[in-house]
Amino acid sequence: MWEGSGNNYAYLVVDEKSKDAVIIDPANPSEVLPVLKKQVDSGDIKLTNIINTHHHHDHAGGNSEMLKHYKLPIIGGRDCSKVTKTPKHGETFTIGDSIKVKALHTPCHTQDSICYLFEDGNDKAVFTGDTLFIGGCGRFFEGTAEEMHKALNETLAALPDDTKVYPGHEYTKGNVKFGIKIMQTEPIKKLEAFANSNKETQGKFTIGDEKLHNVFMRVDDPEVQKAVGKSKPVDVMAALREMKNAS
């Protein structure tokens, strides 16, 4: 959504068997509703929920308008507009017959940030909102370096390495431009090449990849520590964010 300005992603996730579906962060209804209407009217999907990753307007700001068209419960962070359910950290729910979803609280960008791990058989995907981007992370608007370190390097890093990452924005080009100044490793050079030749990067990289090419998930790396002049992981996180903000 808002291509060229916010480069936001909204995601439609469908359980193929039951046709049950959820829409994640449908913040710009004028772009989202025509797609949904076509699929709902044709019987391809049965929309069951709106899911929000956090309360910011460019993620949850479409909720009121969406509800005019689809009277659905909204699962999201406690501060999201019109939210009906805020799952606890680690709480699970299902979509249709086969998709299991686990809510992971990742406060920092906002205090109500929630990432959602989706599992269907062996397939795993995590929708990270503005907590984790491909090659980067969100600004610490409502939190601290400590909280982001925990969110990225404890909560999300603990997910299986083959979990695909679906962030809230397409920011990879900017992230890698910053990251490559900090470390010049093969994984980050590969990411740079991919970002330069592909407009979209969502779902193309995994948690395992992020641990290799995302400087914010390499706060223990001597090369990263040297680049920022800090050695404690939380201090490295804080310094990286400050440098990125200024870049």
Side-chain angles (χ1 to χ4, degrees):
M1 302 173 293
W2 296 297
E3 193 183 322
S5 53
N7 290 334
N8 281 69
Y9 284 121
Y11 295 106
L12 176 63
V13 185
V14 187
D15 172 49
E16 286 172 347
K17 215 159 138 196
S18 65
K19 308 267 179 78
D20 284 0
V22 296
I23 182 79
I24 302 172
D25 288 348
N28 192 17
S30 63
E31 287 185 87
V32 175
L33 284 167
V35 179
L36 292 181
K37 188 177 185 325
K38 196 177 159 191
Q39 298 207 41
V40 169
D41 291 355
S42 67
D44 287 342
I45 66 170
K46 288 186 275 190
L47 215 48
T48 62
N49 290 94
I50 293 166
I51 295 180
N52 291 149
T53 56
H54 61 295
H55 70 81
H56 282 163
H57 183 76
D58 62 335
H59 294 265
N63 289 355
S64 294
E65 184 63 27
M66 293 295 295
L67 290 173
K68 289 178 192 170
H69 300 265
Y70 300 103
K71 302 277 186 280
L72 300 170
I74 296 175
I75 297 169
R78 60 173 188 261
D79 300 323
C80 293
S81 166
K82 310 282 185 188
V83 67
T84 45
K85 179 168 173 61
T86 297
K88 294 186 180 76
H89 177 66
E91 192 176 327
T92 60
F93 55 94
T94 56
I95 299 162
D97 299 325
S98 51
I99 301 174
K100 188 179 116 185
V101 185
K102 184 190 269 193
L104 302 167
H105 286 209
T106 50
C108 180
H109 179 72
T110 64
Q111 281 302 304
D112 73 338
S113 288
I114 300 176
C115 296
Y116 299 90
L117 172 67
F118 281 55
E119 293 179 275
D120 182 357
N122 292 322
D123 292 331
K124 292 173 283 293
V126 63
F127 296 86
T128 56
D130 288 3
T131 296
L132 172 65
F133 299 124
I134 306 300
C137 72
R139 288 175 184 258
F140 308 170
F141 284 131
E142 296 180 12
T144 62
E146 236 161 4
E147 286 178 315
M148 188 57 87
H149 176 53
K150 185 180 180 186
L152 296 183
N153 298 316
E154 291 178 28
T155 305
L156 293 176
L159 298 179
D161 278 350
D162 62 347
T163 306
K164 290 177 178 175
V165 178
Y166 289 87
H169 295 264
E170 183 50 63
Y171 285 167
T172 310
K173 274 191 176 65
N175 288 336
V176 81
K177 199 174 162 189
F178 169 72
I180 208 136
K181 291 176 190 165
I182 303 295
M183 61 179 193
Q184 289 79 43
T185 57
E186 272 317 300
I188 202 161
K189 285 175 189 169
K190 266 184 167 162
L191 178 63
E192 183 184 43
F194 189 90
N196 287 338
S197 53
N198 291 273
K199 196 171 149 188
E200 296 180 21
T201 60
Q202 82 287 20
K204 302 295 183 191
F205 297 96
T206 64
I207 288 291
D209 294 326
E210 291 306 308
K211 288 179 189 174
L212 294 175
H213 65 213
N214 190 326
V215 291
F216 295 95
M217 292 186 82
R218 294 198 63 80
V219 291
D220 291 322
D221 185 322
E223 192 176 347
V224 176
Q225 292 176 347
K226 192 181 170 193
V228 301
K230 305 279 181 192
S231 58
K232 284 187 188 155
V234 172
D235 295 343
V236 175
M237 178 67 75
L240 282 170
R241 189 66 253 179
E242 278 171 30
M243 288 165 78
K244 176 77 170 74
N245 291 349
S247 69

